[in-house]
Amino acid sequence: MRFLHTSDWHIGRAFHNVSLLEDQAYILRQIVEIAKSQQVDAILVAGDIYDRSVPPASAVQLLDRIVNEIIQDLGIALIIIPGNHDSAQRLGFASSQLQQSGLYILGELSSISEPVILQDANGEVAFWGFPYADPANVRSVFTQEISTHDDAIKLLCDTVTGRFNAGQRNVALSHCFIDGSSESESERPLSIGGADRVNWQHFDAFDYVALGHLHGRQFKGKACIRYSGSPLKYSFSEEKHIKSVVIVELDAKGQCQIEQVSLQPLHNMRSIEGQLSDILEAAITDAHADDYLLIKLTDSHAILDVMGKLRERYPNILHLERPGLMAVKNEHAVQPKQNSAGELAMFGDFFNQVLARDLTEQEQALVSDVIAKLQHDGETQ
Ligand SMILES: [Mn+2]
């Protein structure tokens, strides 16, 4: 049995008010191509299909197209669980009818004991899907004393491992936070204060565990208990991530051979740090000037229309930070006596930007007087 594991598509997500739908369409098509060339039998998506419980129509249309390509055009089975961003009920629309066509949406907690069974030359593989559920939900469905995410996952795992058939290989899909794994800034916590952590040992009996929730690819405990990671970077904290999908070859005994196939985004997400003049010069030969950028300017003086200047070369700047300016400001915060000198210098820079010449001595004196008067007024108010 050969399958592709992915998760955290977050279709419909925007980043710094820029819609990522085109990037998502591009990357999902790439995943379909990988599934085709790798000749997998199934694709597993371990939650957070959509970014919101009520996704925009354009996101639903994109998923619809991708599902058609996977099931109808390629004849590959698609197994999905909802994550904490999805609405299990909405995602699960018509799911029992769709099973006949090869689309398996495992969104019902009460049905976790009914796995998807796929056959290969070596026999049956059971795919057990755990839809994302908080402890209160698990408690109400199973009427057992469940107070933590760890209790909940343990119960779900114990429930299905008790139903394993001899000779059958077993794969789990789960959307949870395995204790000790690394987070990114684009994940929404499942609960506050670390109470969402679960032990990987609960999954020990499965031959492979396809995890979702954490956006960085990683495994915990065993190589076969694994997060595929999101297919795109959804925060600048993921700048150094390599985004990929997992291709799993499950042999007759349930041993896994794991390969990670890298994805190439339409726009990379990265940060650039330096002086404005250096950044603008380097941009001339930057072959990836349309990447999504975080720019950190180290210049310590005020610059007029800095965003306009940068956007001429880098059209997709999503965020601008001015650590240089902050440093100057902070210096003033601890040394208030330098305030007037700092403000005069700042105004001098501004004046130079607008009129392309320095203040004369007379003008400097005039501006100093105004600054001093403003400060005096501010103090006596
Ligand atoms: Mn997610």
Side-chain angles (χ1 to χ4, degrees), residues 212-364:
H213 179 54
L214 298 178
H215 292 179
R217 66 181 198 183
Q218 58 199 298
F219 66 89
K220 208 70 215 166
K222 293 155 84 172
C224 62
I225 301 178
R226 182 174 288 268
Y227 289 96
S228 62
S230 56
L232 287 171
K233 298 173 186 177
Y234 285 128
S235 68
F236 285 113
S237 76
E238 293 156 70
E239 187 183 357
K240 301 269 187 297
H241 283 190
I242 297 170
K243 296 302 186 183
S244 53
V245 294
V246 191
I247 301 291
V248 182
E249 173 86 46
L250 196 63
D251 74 9
K253 291 187 176 141
Q255 296 288 320
C256 291
Q257 216 171 31
I258 290 162
E259 186 193 346
Q260 297 182 103
V261 180
S262 299
L263 299 167
Q264 304 303 326
L266 187 58
H267 303 97
N268 194 8
M269 197 176 282
R270 60 189 168 102
S271 64
I272 299 177
E273 183 164 358
Q275 302 260 335
L276 178 67
S277 54
D278 296 339
I279 291 175
L280 291 178
E281 203 186 313
I284 298 169
T285 52
D286 191 336
H288 300 284
D290 62 349
D291 282 350
Y292 292 134
L293 297 178
L294 161 64
I295 295 205
K296 296 179 190 171
L297 278 191
T298 53
D299 301 78
S300 55
H301 59 286
I303 303 168
L304 200 66
D305 191 23
V306 58
M307 213 46 165
K309 290 186 171 91
L310 284 165
R311 282 229 163 95
E312 277 178 25
R313 306 270 167 79
Y314 286 120
N316 292 325
I317 297 175
L318 298 187
H319 194 57
L320 176 69
E321 285 177 7
R322 302 286 316 263
L325 213 52
M326 295 300 285
V328 172
K329 273 189 190 150
N330 289 342
E331 215 170 88
H332 291 156
V334 290
Q335 291 166 298
K337 279 181 187 161
Q338 288 182 1
N339 263 359
S340 55
E343 274 144 11
L344 180 62
M346 294 262 279
F347 184 81
D349 281 336
F350 171 70
F351 188 87
N352 188 291
Q353 287 278 336
V354 178
L355 294 178
R357 70 167 176 84
D358 290 333
L359 290 165
T360 64
E361 268 180 40
Q362 200 188 356
E363 286 163 343
Q364 281 193 24

Side-chain angles (χ1 to χ4, degrees), residues 99 106 108 110-117 126-129 160 163:
Q99 298 222 349
L106 307 177
E108 290 283 341
S110 54
S111 304
I112 58 159
S113 298
E114 297 159 28
V116 174
I117 306 280
F127 293 88
W128 308 85
V160 312
R163 302 176 70 97

Side-chain angles (χ1 to χ4, degrees), residues 31-48:
I31 293 176
V32 173
E33 282 306 315
I34 292 169
K36 186 180 173 187
S37 65
Q38 293 277 338
Q39 298 186 302
V40 299
D41 304 296
I43 295 178
L44 278 45
V45 192
D48 287 354

Side-chain angles (χ1 to χ4, degrees), residues 8 10 13 47-48 84-85 175 186-188 212-215:
D8 297 272
H10 288 273
R13 194 175 189 116
D48 287 354
N84 59 313
H85 281 250
H175 194 87
S186 57
E187 296 137 10
R188 186 200 295 157
H213 179 54
L214 298 178
H215 292 179

